[in-house]
Amino acid sequence: MAFGGGLTKLGPLNPAHRESAERLRALVERGASTPAAFREALLGVSPLERDAWVDLVLGLDALPDDGPELPRGCVPYLPCPVDALLRVVEHAPVRAEDVFVDVGSGAGRATALVHLLTGASAVGLEVQPALVEAARALATRLGLSRVSVLGGDAVDLAPRMTEGSVFFLYCPFSGARLEQLLAGLEPLARPRELKVCAVDLPLPPCAWLSLQPPSSDDLVIHRSTLLGGTTAPR
């Protein structure tokens, strides 16, 4: 599923939706957008147009091709659908006081969108330098001071995210690498509760994670059950 040349477009936007996207982008660039206003505008767009609308708000178009730095076993970059991110925000839930960590964050689309929808700080973990550069340019262009990206292998970086509270995975890898990542997150769950949200990625059995309803065919949300080294009451 190699991805290059541009974001997925679902056809031309309704002129009214195009106008609202351009208006929102101007507000975001001025630092005048609020999570409530952004969410209201997004929900006013038909589901089939939301991905194209978000791309226009964020000013996203062509993306770098995947490079040789992509480790073996990792999935080439593909942006997560907007409606899946909306369900993550709603059901996790993601709040303004959270730190949202996107494992395999690509060009920064999900981190920027989740921040604009919630006010939460957002950190991307991305191994491909060209995508790290694109994500940093996006945050700088839009003035998103609470959105950042770290370059490197997420398996190594994720255990260092001691402030992270919501970890998001849109099928970045599976198998042994996924098991390594989850093992690295376990110590972070002892001082506080973590939420691990995965789209199109079944998680392997993990004694310290408990599935949270509602779940769906494409989205699962788990909560940690460890606090202070013991199983937390549910």
Side-chain angles (χ1 to χ4, degrees):
M1 205 161 65
F3 188 80
L7 291 175
T8 301
K9 300 297 182 186
L10 302 177
L13 276 173
N14 174 299
H17 294 160
R18 178 174 293 276
E19 181 181 344
S20 76
E22 292 170 346
R23 184 168 61 250
L24 254 292
R25 179 163 58 176
L27 289 174
V28 170
E29 290 174 345
R30 296 202 308 268
S33 176
T34 65
F38 194 97
R39 181 182 178 86
E40 181 181 4
L42 176 56
L43 293 180
V45 177
S46 65
L48 290 178
E49 293 185 286
R50 285 175 185 165
D51 284 271
W53 186 88
V54 166
D55 292 348
L56 183 56
V57 172
L58 301 182
L60 291 172
D61 187 14
L63 296 176
D65 291 328
D66 291 298
E69 304 86 2
L70 188 68
R72 188 172 184 176
C74 290
V75 176
Y77 175 54
L78 185 69
C80 182
V82 165
D83 276 2
L85 288 167
L86 277 169
R87 284 182 284 129
V88 169
V89 165
E90 178 182 358
H91 295 303
V94 182
R95 301 184 175 92
E97 60 268 24
D98 279 312
V99 176
F100 177 86
V101 181
D102 185 2
V103 177
S105 56
R109 185 182 193 241
T111 49
L113 178 57
V114 169
H115 168 70
L116 289 168
L117 282 169
T118 67
S121 295
V123 181
L125 308 181
E126 175 55 50
V127 71
Q128 299 193 65
L131 293 176
V132 171
E133 183 178 340
R136 288 174 176 163
L138 172 65
T140 298
R141 186 176 72 251
L142 297 179
L144 305 181
S145 61
R146 298 184 67 192
V147 176
S148 60
V149 59
L150 298 178
D153 192 329
V155 172
D156 298 325
L157 293 175
R160 305 178 198 170
M161 299 293 100
T162 56
E163 299 302 316
S165 55
V166 181
F167 287 79
F168 174 69
L169 300 91
Y170 179 44
C171 203
F173 40 67
S174 57
R177 290 183 63 80
L178 179 57
E179 292 177 1
Q180 279 182 273
L181 176 84
L182 294 173
L185 292 181
E186 181 178 356
L188 304 185
R190 298 189 182 279
R192 69 184 184 285
E193 182 184 72
L194 299 186
K195 288 168 274 191
V196 179
C197 309
V199 172
D200 291 336
L201 180 66
L203 298 187
C206 225
W208 62 278
L209 286 176
S210 176
L211 183 64
Q212 170 187 316
S215 61
S216 60
D217 290 341
D218 64 331
L219 170 64
V220 293
I221 298 174
H222 291 77
R223 288 180 180 269
S224 63
T225 57
L226 297 175
L227 287 173
T230 62
T231 302
R234 294 182 62 194

